[in-house]
Amino acid sequence: LNYNRFDVNNSFDNFMVGESNELAYTAARKICVQSSRYNPLFIYSPVGMGKTHLLNAIGLEINKSKKVMFISAERFMYHFIRSIKNNDMVKFKDFFRRANVFIIDDIQFVGGKEAMQEEFFHTFNTIQQAGGQIVLSSDRPPDSIPTLEDRLRSRFKMGLVTDIQAPDLETRLAILSKKTEENPGGIVVPDEVLQFIAENITENIRELEGAQTRVAAYANLTHAPCPKALAI
């Protein structure tokens, strides 16, 4: 499969593990060693908690030995609609269903789209019945996805459903510390600034890292101390 565009920066090695995400992380590592151990693996959390990072890490690891398809639900729908318009559904079905591991991000996007749910249902069944692994992410658990067909909902729940919660203060500080090590130009963000960021941004890892990047960039460009005021 040639579709995947894995981000080498989003691997297991730089995924910060804490109490908030330990179960999801452990399950993700487990299926890389023993495919179909949890099938499907369904990971949910609010935006910015690391779901896509974890899915990407799974793909990076398994792609070394198996055919992996990693795609967002939105892109899946795009290919589906294009194949209908081009009268090329046979090619579409073959392209997606021959994967050994099918990883799909933001599956809540299929809610309310009947034709897409029909196609995904058959894709899901074909891959699973062939012994393939399926990994799904969503911003909510299966029971909370509106207008999702019951047959899909039941399949999403037949494996392991686990969430990623907001990281605690210790994990947030560890994430910021790791991010500081990667700063261009060797800019060191003072501990008191990292503490300030960690205490004030609690619900979104992307925003947490963005605040650290912002103060480090300011210091790098102006050669001035990292200011707390720019953090939030």
Side-chain angles (χ1 to χ4, degrees):
L1 296 175
N2 298 317
Y3 182 81
N4 300 313
R5 296 292 185 270
F6 295 114
D7 184 349
V8 296
N9 295 313
N10 286 338
S11 65
F12 284 123
D13 291 338
N14 59 12
F15 185 85
M16 195 61 61
V17 183
E19 290 185 8
S20 62
N21 58 24
E22 186 174 13
L23 179 57
Y25 172 83
T26 302
R29 294 302 300 255
K30 182 71 70 174
I31 64 172
C32 292
V33 177
Q34 187 177 353
S35 183
S36 299
R37 176 66 179 270
Y38 308 114
N39 203 11
L41 173 60
F42 189 107
I43 301 172
Y44 70 94
S45 78
V47 172
M49 293 296 181
K51 297 187 302 294
T52 302
H53 184 150
L54 202 52
L55 265 60
N56 187 91
I58 294 170
L60 276 174
E61 186 69 23
I62 299 182
N63 196 48
K64 301 171 184 176
S65 58
K66 297 182 179 181
K67 293 178 180 178
V68 179
M69 169 56 63
F70 177 32
I71 192 171
S72 69
E74 186 175 10
R75 290 293 297 174
F76 183 83
M77 188 185 75
Y78 166 78
H79 285 290
F80 175 61
I81 293 173
R82 190 177 67 174
S83 297
I84 292 174
K85 289 182 178 179
N86 295 338
N87 195 27
D88 204 10
M89 282 301 296
V90 173
K91 183 177 180 180
F92 172 89
K93 294 175 189 293
D94 179 66
F95 180 70
F96 285 101
R97 297 182 188 183
R98 63 192 175 100
N100 301 129
V101 180
F102 188 35
I103 306 172
I104 185 160
D105 203 9
D106 290 328
I107 194 61
Q108 75 276 357
F109 193 75
V110 306
K113 301 173 178 64
E114 293 183 8
M116 183 180 173
Q117 290 189 54
E118 176 75 19
E119 180 55 36
F120 184 75
F121 172 80
H122 293 296
T123 298
F124 185 107
N125 283 348
T126 299
I127 294 172
Q128 192 177 62
Q129 289 169 7
Q133 173 70 50
I134 297 170
V135 183
L136 309 157
S137 83
S138 173
D139 64 357
R140 68 202 74 178
D143 285 337
S144 298
I145 300 176
T147 58
L148 181 67
E149 294 180 1
D150 288 341
R151 58 180 180 171
L152 276 179
R153 197 186 312 278
S154 66
R155 278 163 175 76
F156 292 172
K157 294 165 62 179
M158 68 188 293
L160 175 64
V161 178
T162 182
D163 68 333
I164 297 177
Q165 300 175 2
D168 58 24
L169 178 60
E170 181 180 333
T171 302
R172 297 197 300 274
L173 284 170
I175 291 169
L176 291 173
S177 178
K178 178 68 175 178
K179 185 74 175 176
T180 295
E181 294 174 6
E182 303 168 355
N183 284 340
I187 297 297
V188 176
V189 180
D191 289 344
E192 62 267 22
V193 176
L194 296 182
Q195 183 79 25
F196 178 79
I197 294 172
E199 289 176 349
N200 286 276
I201 301 177
T202 62
E203 299 293 332
N204 191 307
I205 293 173
R206 289 179 195 160
E207 292 180 5
L208 190 75
E209 293 180 334
Q212 192 275 354
T213 298
R214 195 157 51 248
V215 296
Y218 177 87
N220 188 38
L221 294 171
T222 65
H223 305 289
C226 298
K228 289 183 181 179
L230 286 180
I232 57 175

